[in-house]
Amino acid sequence: MSQSPLTLPRRSFLALGGVAAGAAVLAAEPASATSADTNDRITLPGYVFTLGVASGDPTPDGVVLWTRLAPDPLALDGLGGMPGRTVQVSWEVAEDEGFRRVVRRGVERAAPDWAHSVHAEVHGLRPDRVYWYRFRIADQVSPVGRTRTAPAPRTALRAMSFAFASCQAYPDGYFTAFAHLAREELDLVVHLGDYIYEGGGAGSIGRAHLPAAETFSLTDYRIRYAQYKLDPALQAAHASAPWVVAPDDHDVENNWAGDHSQPDTEPDQDPAVFRLRRAAAYQAYYENLPLRRSSMPRGPEMQVYRRLRFGDLLQFDVLDTRRFRDQQLTDPSLRWDPNRQMLGARQEAWLLAGLGASTARWNVLGNQIFAMEADHTAGEGERYGMDTWDGYAAARQRLFDGVVQRRVDNFLIVTGDAHRSVAADLKLDFADPNSRTIGTEFLGTSISSGGNGTDMDALGVTWLAENPHMRFHNSQRGYQVCHLGRHEMRTDYRVVPFVNAPDAPVSTRASVYVQSGRPGVAHVSA
């Protein structure tokens, strides 16, 4: 029996409040009419679970389980070395890591049209429970993954912890931060975009992109994802906890907006041509991540924004800040144009309605590009980035006004993209430092993008001087862990000193606290 060389240490896991231990074993799901046993007659060209396993989008009764069959993951046709036929893949979920108490099992079809990816939507599990899962085809067994279901909607939770991360340019550095994240005791991991980078960079540390040129076709994107997903640290992080994911720009193309490509990129000037590229990028994104069928792309469209709930403690709203936005401005004086959209009218209405109806203690947005105002100019004058919410100031004001009008409690935003960390008060009027604070934003740094980084750089000095609502800054690499409690939440900024070589240690650069019922940063412990 073939086994993956990647193994995870046996660990004890945090137990959230409100759930009793020692549940009875659940009944197993019936297998499909076409048994996976028929795969015993096929000859596989090698070990098929080279890209690991993952789980995602947990609900109180289940999760989605993912793998992708790829005995030759970097094959030039992008199909991973699999035969051009649909095969059956069985899966099972157990209450123990040794699979002595299997509680659910089933069979999924892995089709060549979707690069032999598997997205098994499991139901019938108990809320707020740790489970282990694995896949099987013929005589091959996948690595074992750990996952956790969400607590029941009315469960009074004492605490939960989730990490968020983004921006992992393969040529820029090793994914050491993910190796450390995999050892954290987490209930959830949130990835906020730039899972891959579309460019053809070679870097300087021996991690050149494959294919060598920029990605445009579905084959290109499939090979690029396979290269990233072969990274053992990334595989370990996926296998350690359920993930919630959303794409940003580099998952398709740098700084794309709606149906508009980056202006300096050929041949994507024509929106119709760019939609073909986005369709390819979306399909590869879905094929390689633990998303539900509700997020399966239909050509250039994919359902990204969605809502997850964790007992009475957390409502987590995943945003899509790329597909429905207007094109970036070339004239910054127009950033307050009330007709400009970041989320689009439908998503904006969905978000505000959900925030208004929320009964959760903490209301968190998973956001790709930072919402706080960030003046980039030292001294006199102002300069704002046009790709962030600063370029869509009127849309941001509608969101903030809506939060106030709906009396949303404990409003938090977690964000990626900027390759630096900032904790900031969200002001109803950023032009007035004495304006009402309505919430807190935690901007998180990159996993590897930008290279090693430093504790403070010139932009950080400017930001802290020009933006009094910013309370903490750091530009090293790493990830963030949010610990939610009934009366307080804490975000630990976890950093590594270098990414240009493997095996960097990790440390907590700062812990930032927010008190329930008091918007904004309470204090920073460095």
Side-chain angles (χ1 to χ4, degrees):
M1 182 177 297
S2 300
Q3 295 290 338
S4 167
L6 176 65
T7 58
L8 294 176
R10 184 178 297 275
R11 313 179 310 170
S12 60
F13 300 102
L14 292 176
L16 303 185
V19 176
V25 174
L26 300 174
E29 290 181 350
S32 66
T34 304
S35 171
D37 291 341
T38 59
N39 287 332
D40 290 340
R41 296 191 297 273
I42 71 171
T43 300
L44 296 171
Y47 183 66
V48 298
F49 298 111
T50 57
L51 303 182
V53 300
S55 66
D57 280 15
T59 63
D61 83 325
V63 294
V64 57
L65 305 180
W66 172 93
T67 193
R68 179 184 161 204
L69 310 180
D72 183 9
L74 300 178
L76 295 181
D77 62 0
L79 296 178
M82 284 294 292
R85 52 169 284 194
T86 297
V87 298
Q88 307 289 332
V89 182
S90 62
W91 54 265
E92 54 187 357
V93 177
E95 292 183 328
D96 65 299
E97 199 171 359
F99 288 82
R100 291 177 296 275
R101 299 189 303 279
V102 173
V103 296
R104 281 290 183 270
R105 55 169 52 94
V107 176
E108 294 291 324
R109 293 164 53 86
D113 288 348
W114 293 92
H116 291 96
S117 60
V118 177
H119 299 77
E121 298 189 18
V122 183
H123 301 283
L125 302 179
R126 294 183 181 274
D128 195 17
R129 290 296 178 94
V130 171
Y131 291 96
W132 285 264
Y133 62 93
R134 64 187 178 188
F135 297 89
R136 184 189 302 269
I137 178 171
D139 64 343
Q140 297 187 15
V141 180
S142 75
V144 172
R146 170 196 179 268
T147 192
R148 185 168 198 145
T149 54
R154 290 181 293 275
T155 302
L157 293 184
R158 294 192 299 269
M160 71 171 291
S161 298
F162 71 88
F164 68 98
S166 66
C167 304
Q168 53 211 47
Y170 192 87
D172 284 6
Y174 289 87
F175 296 168
T176 311
F178 275 135
H180 293 294
L181 182 150
R183 300 184 185 103
E184 305 268 7
E185 294 186 334
L186 298 170
D187 304 303
L188 189 71
V189 175
V190 177
H191 197 284
L192 295 170
D194 295 349
Y195 192 95
I196 63 161
Y197 277 67
E198 83 289 7
S204 60
I205 60 172
R207 285 167 66 90
H209 263 153
L210 295 174
E214 185 166 346
T215 54
F216 289 94
S217 69
L218 178 57
T219 297
D220 293 341
Y221 283 105
R222 282 171 167 170
I223 295 171
R224 185 65 53 84
Y225 273 99
Q227 180 185 34
Y228 276 56
K229 295 189 76 68
L230 283 170
D231 188 280
L234 179 56
Q235 287 195 21
H238 268 299
S240 69
W243 282 42
V244 172
V245 301
D248 193 21
D249 56 338
H250 288 288
D251 302 292
V252 180
E253 180 199 32
N254 183 45
N255 287 351
W256 69 278
D259 284 336
H260 300 281
S261 67
Q262 184 171 252
D264 63 354
T265 299
E266 294 286 355
D268 290 346
Q269 299 284 355
D270 183 350
V273 175
F274 176 69
R275 284 193 290 271
L276 293 176
R277 183 180 187 180
R278 191 174 72 225
Y282 274 176
Q283 177 166 341
Y285 186 86
Y286 177 81
E287 288 171 351
N288 286 280
L289 287 164
L291 288 159
R292 293 183 179 274
R293 281 184 287 274
S294 56
S295 292
M296 179 182 285
R298 293 171 176 82
E301 306 301 331
M302 182 170 69
Q303 184 65 40
V304 171
Y305 67 87
R306 57 202 189 278
R307 178 168 293 127
L308 296 93
R309 297 181 176 89
F310 298 84
D312 70 344
L313 192 64
L314 170 63
Q315 177 172 298
F316 193 90
D317 290 328
V318 181
L319 301 187
D320 184 343
T321 60
R322 287 289 162 192
R323 173 63 189 92
F324 307 107
R325 65 158 70 188
D326 289 310
Q327 197 167 11
Q328 294 91 340
L329 291 169
T330 56
D331 181 357
S333 68
L334 300 177
R335 69 193 193 98
W336 283 96
D337 180 348
N339 296 314
R340 284 176 55 73
Q341 296 282 344
M342 171 61 85
L343 303 177
R346 178 176 296 181
Q347 183 181 188
E348 186 176 296
W350 165 87
L351 175 61
L352 288 173
L355 288 172
S358 174
T359 58
R361 178 62 60 99
W362 301 95
N363 294 284
V364 181
L365 306 188
N367 173 57
Q368 289 77 37
I369 41 86
F370 61 78
M372 60 188 171
E373 187 171 88
D375 178 8
H376 288 59
T377 298
E380 295 297 322
E382 297 175 346
R383 181 171 60 89
Y384 301 103
M386 292 297 100
D387 188 58
T388 71
W389 282 84
D390 275 338
Y392 304 78
R396 175 176 62 197
Q397 196 64 52
R398 286 196 305 271
L399 172 59
F400 286 10
D401 288 344
V403 167
V404 172
Q405 292 162 6
R406 289 161 179 79
R407 300 179 180 179
V408 180
D409 292 330
N410 297 329
F411 177 63
L412 307 173
I413 299 179
V414 296
T415 303
D417 181 70
H419 309 171
R420 60 187 61 244
S421 296
V422 174
D425 296 336
L426 296 175
K427 310 295 287 187
L428 192 58
D429 180 2
F430 284 107
D432 178 8
N434 296 316
S435 173
R436 177 175 177 177
T437 298
I438 67 161
T440 313
E441 181 167 24
F442 296 100
L443 172 62
T445 188
S446 63
I447 291 291
S448 63
S449 304
N452 287 339
T454 183
D455 186 67
M456 182 63 68
D457 60 8
L459 181 59
V461 171
T462 298
W463 274 14
L464 290 178
E466 298 299 320
N467 303 280
H469 49 279
M470 295 186 184
R471 306 288 298 279
F472 165 75
H473 176 276
N474 172 270
S475 59
Q476 292 172 285
R477 305 295 156 242
Y479 58 95
Q480 301 66 229
V481 181
C482 297
H483 303 276
L484 304 180
R486 303 298 298 180
H487 306 295
E488 184 178 68
M489 72 86 61
R490 181 184 89 242
T491 296
D492 294 335
Y493 282 93
R494 304 277 282 160
V495 300
V496 294
F498 56 86
V499 294
N500 63 339
D503 302 324
V506 70
S507 62
T508 298
R509 173 59 182 83
S511 295
V512 182
Y513 295 80
V514 175
Q515 295 177 359
S516 178
R518 298 183 64 182
V521 174
H523 66 279
V524 179
S525 174

